[in-house]
Amino acid sequence: MRTLVVVALAPEAAHVPQGLDVVIIGLGKTHAATSVTRELARGDVAQVVNIGTAGALRPGLSGTYEPSVVINHDMNAAVIRTLGYDPQERLELGTGDSTVLATGDVFVTDPVVRDRLAVQAQLVDMEGYAVAWACREFGVPVRLLKHVSDAADESALAWDEVVDASARALATRLEQVLDAPVPAQVLRPG
């Protein structure tokens, strides 16, 4: 059984220690879900660790976080509920540091969107929810490691200038996580 490290883009994985099984999953929920599902279907994955950059939705956030909850922020869950269905837009991961990560295909640079999301989450990315969902469906433990690269505003457009610092921090935290035993966790809707 293998530990699978998944990351949206290669620059985020630039400093991952040699010998780890790294899969570049692409940007957004669709690419992430498809890539992770393809790997999990092989049946040899013991755990998944998703590393990547994230935008800070609140002032003063910096560093690396391990979200405990991930939400699908660009789904109209209220409408789906009125139709009698549970969209399960919130997943509790069973591990982490109590951070809430909002995932969506919208690249957040608008202060109005950022402030709306900050009511329910601290960080925003584009893949975490999809990775967690796929892992839940296969019963495989997952951990999300996210490094703040920007303030979910126009600074996000300078991502390529700061990604190397994030990649270094993520690699350090990844080594710490992999030295710990695989957590026994059950993903469940929040």
Side-chain angles (χ1 to χ4, degrees):
M1 298 296 281
R2 63 191 170 122
T3 293
L4 182 65
V5 177
V6 298
V7 57
L9 298 172
E12 295 170 303
H15 301 285
V16 169
Q18 293 293 318
L20 293 177
D21 192 357
V22 178
V23 175
I24 306 303
I25 59 176
L27 286 174
K29 294 182 296 188
T30 301
H31 290 285
T34 302
S35 297
V36 172
T37 296
R38 184 180 305 116
E39 292 295 321
L40 294 176
R42 292 173 46 178
D44 64 347
V45 177
Q47 72 172 332
V48 171
V49 182
N50 171 221
I51 64 171
T53 56
L57 295 171
R58 300 177 185 170
L61 295 176
S62 63
T64 305
Y65 294 85
E66 184 175 351
S68 300
V69 174
V70 63
I71 61 173
N72 186 356
H73 80 75
D74 56 3
M75 168 189 283
N76 195 334
V79 172
I80 293 170
R81 279 195 180 79
T82 65
L83 298 173
Y85 299 98
D86 180 2
Q88 299 177 28
E89 79 278 11
R90 180 182 174 94
L91 300 176
E92 294 184 21
L93 302 179
T95 62
D97 59 16
S98 300
T99 301
V100 177
L101 174 68
T103 297
D105 288 317
V106 174
F107 191 83
V108 178
T109 58
D110 181 340
V112 173
V113 174
R114 180 197 58 227
D115 294 346
R116 179 182 52 80
L117 289 173
V119 172
Q120 54 188 334
Q122 290 90 8
L123 303 175
V124 63
D125 84 338
M126 297 177 72
E127 297 82 27
Y129 179 89
V131 172
W133 181 274
C135 289
R136 183 183 79 162
E137 292 299 300
F138 279 84
V140 173
V142 62
R143 296 176 85 170
L144 307 178
L145 304 177
K146 300 297 175 174
H147 188 265
V148 175
S149 60
D150 58 79
D153 59 13
E154 344 31 83
S155 68
L157 300 175
W159 181 84
D160 58 337
E161 298 169 17
V162 298
V163 67
D164 193 64
S166 289
R168 289 179 191 280
L170 287 163
T172 298
R173 182 69 179 119
L174 178 62
E175 289 183 74
Q176 295 166 350
V177 164
L178 294 180
D179 283 342
V182 175
Q185 64 185 8
V186 177
L187 292 165
R188 57 195 182 282

